[in-house]
């Protein structure tokens, strides 16, 4: 009976850890001082806050076309 309880606790812990590690995206990210050349960094975010002096309006539109909310 101890083995079953041990396995249940282990399974629960592994499920929680895997769920936390497998999140595909984050709600938002703040990127000041970055530029469009680091676009790979933005892939995991639904919304991004960028420094407007480092992005052209076309670059912002490209990010929006990729499904990002850009602020």
């Amino acid at each position: 009976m101890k083995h079953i309880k041990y396995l249940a606790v282990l399974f629960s812990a592994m499920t929680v850890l895997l769920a936390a590690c497998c999140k595909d995206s984050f709600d938002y990210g703040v990127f000041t001082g970055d530029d469009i050349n680091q676009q790979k960094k933005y892939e995991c975010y639904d919304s991004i806050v960028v420094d407007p002096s480092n992005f052209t309006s076309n670059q912002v539109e490209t990010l929006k076309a990729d499904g990002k909310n850009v602020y």
Side-chain angles (χ1 to χ4, degrees):
M1 189 55 106
K2 286 184 179 180
H3 294 294
I4 293 173
K5 288 181 182 178
Y6 176 74
L7 289 174
V9 169
L10 182 61
F11 179 75
S12 297
M14 291 299 293
T15 302
V16 169
L17 287 174
L18 287 174
C21 293
C22 293
K23 185 172 183 179
D24 292 332
S25 67
F26 300 100
D27 291 335
Y28 71 94
V30 178
F31 303 97
T32 57
D34 286 349
D35 60 27
I36 196 69
N37 296 326
Q38 298 174 351
Q39 189 171 0
K40 190 97 169 146
K41 185 189 301 186
Y42 311 131
E43 289 179 357
C44 294
Y45 296 90
D46 298 328
S47 299
I48 59 173
V49 178
V50 297
D51 188 347
S53 64
N54 293 340
F55 289 82
T56 66
S57 60
N58 288 337
Q59 290 170 327
V60 171
E61 290 303 318
T62 300
L63 290 168
K64 288 181 177 181
D66 289 339
K68 306 294 179 216
N69 295 316
V70 182
Y71 302 98

